[in-house]
Amino acid sequence: MLSLSGTGIGRGIAIGRAIVLDHSHRQIPEFTLSEDAVEDEVKRFRDAVARARTGLLRILDSIPPDSPPETHAFVDVHLQMLDDPVISEQPVESINHERKNAEWSLKTHADTLIAFFDGIEDPYLRSKKNDVHQVVDRVLAELLGHTVTDLSRLDDDLAGYVVVTHDITPADTVTLHQRGMTAFLTSLGGPISHTSILARSLHIPAVVGLHDAVRYIRNDDLLVIDAANGSIILGPDDAVLQEFRDRQQAHREEIASLTLLHHQQAITQDGIQVALLANIELPEDLKLLAPAGAEGVGLYRTEFLFMNRSQPPGEDEQFETYCQVLDTVSGPVTIRTLDLGADKQVDGGRTDGERSINPALGLRAIRLCLNEPALFKPQLRAIFRAATRGNARIMIPMLSSLSELDQALELVRETHRELAKEGVEFNPHVPVGGMIEVPAAAISADLFARKLQFLSIGTNDLIQYTLAIDRIDDEVNYLYDPLHPSVLRLIYRVIEAGRSAGIPVSMCGEMAADPEFTRLLLGLGLREFSMEASSLLQIKQLVLNTTVCDLEKTAKDALQCLEQDRLRNMVEQLNIDKVSTV
Amino acid sequence: MKLEREIEVINRLGLHARACASLVKAAVQFSSTIALKHDGQSCDAKSIMGLMMLAATQGTRLTLVVEGEDSQQAVNRIVELFSDRFGEEE
């Protein structure tokens, strides 16, 4: 038995036999053409491009109608790249001028393109070099006279098989999925590559980024894959195999039972009621609330109303939109005021044209709103007017000092006075809360709590600011850790501040949607979670299976824990009888 | 008619491959020449490689330059794609 690990994609357990494909070490011949061979070589190259194109079109045709919509898009991207002269014409110049063979001309040209992508700062956009690789590989395969991943040699029925290879294109992922492939493992790839995104939506368990570890796997090896944590067991013994079969079964049953939970209230075994709310951006997102059983909206990101237009939306337009949301949702709707800033600008907003070097620390959110009351006041007016229609709450983002809070609250009162004076119908009792996402606010949460009617912990920024880590940056994101003792202490501090002040505390960052942390947070006293609707039922099920009074001691002990490894063990303890994660 | 318009990339992932693909699909519908400029770099909006190599992340401001008979329609369509965040969810 041997264990390997990489980046797990999706969840669930897969058991199957390996089919090892390898096309990564293809030798690319290099030679100089005789003058009269150049014309034929250009034709040979163009024919190969045309065949690669036909191959992609065939895949596009064979995508089953019930596939996720992005499936077509991924194949389309490759078709367009193939049609782009940058890929399909520029090598011709090198064949003509340098008289190099087609494979070599294409390969050297592709290397230049890939080197360009390697220089891109943004990790996500940089990763698109894989698409260049994959498209070029298709043409190379045609030139060298064999199919891309040797898929044609494979049996049509891949049920029970795990495909192991250097890399899989999105198109091949679809083909293999249609043939019933159980799972796949690749040396390349990361959590946000196209193939991984597709695997998640097709519910194919996969482990990517295994690097050289794939070399340990031989054809027909029996593999057990736990996609949730990216681990693979090679040649499991009978006991291990049985354990995973049981977990696989439990996992299937759980998926089926989750959908039954949407009507049920989220109450723990010891009778504690937990509020589970949804995060939304646009009124269209509201249709996701009922199937997920969300009790309301814990975070309504209003900035999307303001983006990509020459003028900010007027008070009446905002009023209409907020009414639409409040009319649809019976529970609370937490409207976060504008979180625009240096990185999310209204067109025609700031005129100086200067961009902050470090947008996350710049003039954003409440800082920008206080700086530009002409932008902020119409939003406040629209919210207070719409609040006669439903259960609205206002949440102020990015608070870092009490004077900012005082200024914001003064603007709230001023808006009330103006509306009253004008005789406009409005609700003066809208609760005002603060988003606690800057460490300064978390440390002094007790002071903020005295002036606010609720607090909401924004963990994404709180973790990023506390640990000084840009988590989009793949060179440091390994340091991004919700279980860092300093993060946990800040979270606990905010929860305690709310409790002493007698006001609710909710959490609306990604941590609230992660089942690993649900029990820890319940143990620390959190009673309100807001998340993407798609995660809600899973968290609800966990709440239903939790006895909070059993967790409190371990959760508080975790705050005193200095060693990260021990802390992780404690969290595992809390989750010990947790039903398998879906 | 030559039109210029400032646009901002608002979707979280920036001008990623699928966004570029939908941009190309839209751009080739028009006879006008359509270019996107950023930091002195200019690319043809009908070339997916050019767009991908612009490496425009969220928050990047681009200048859209459209010239031709149907330039107004082209500007409208392209601005719409950017505002729709290319159909990206978050």
Side-chain angles (χ1 to χ4, degrees), chain A residues 76 80 84 281-282 308 355, chain B residues 8 21 25 47-49 59:
Chain A
D76 257 349
Q80 282 190 11
D84 196 311
E281 282 171 2
L282 299 165
N308 260 38
R355 285 176 58 90
Chain B
E8 178 173 343
K25 272 203 166 162
S47 157
I48 189 169
M49 293 300 295

Side-chain angles (χ1 to χ4, degrees), chain A residues 191-264:
Chain A
I192 51 178
S193 64
H194 279 174
T195 300
S196 301
I197 295 171
L198 201 54
R200 263 191 292 264
S201 47
L202 292 168
H203 301 290
I204 310 172
V207 181
V208 303
L210 280 161
H211 303 285
D212 283 345
V214 291
R215 284 185 310 158
Y216 292 102
I217 306 171
R218 299 273 171 258
N219 259 324
D220 228 32
D221 278 346
L222 186 60
L223 303 169
V224 169
I225 295 155
D226 185 348
N229 60 23
S231 67
I232 300 153
I233 299 168
L234 192 58
D237 61 31
D238 288 347
V240 168
L241 198 57
Q242 192 51 50
E243 183 197 326
F244 278 91
R245 288 219 165 100
D246 293 346
R247 279 175 56 187
Q248 200 175 23
Q249 184 56 29
H251 175 73
R252 285 194 191 118
E253 285 165 10
E254 200 193 348
I255 291 177
S257 66
L258 270 185
T259 50
L260 304 173
L261 293 178
H262 75 278
H263 280 312
Q264 207 158 328

Side-chain angles (χ1 to χ4, degrees), chain A residues 529-550:
Chain A
F529 296 70
S530 188
M531 66 199 82
E532 303 310 315
S534 58
S535 304
L536 211 139
L537 287 175
Q538 193 191 352
I539 302 295
K540 184 186 277 187
Q541 190 199 37
L542 201 46
V543 168
L544 293 170
N545 285 307
T546 295
T547 309
V548 175
C549 57
D550 293 349

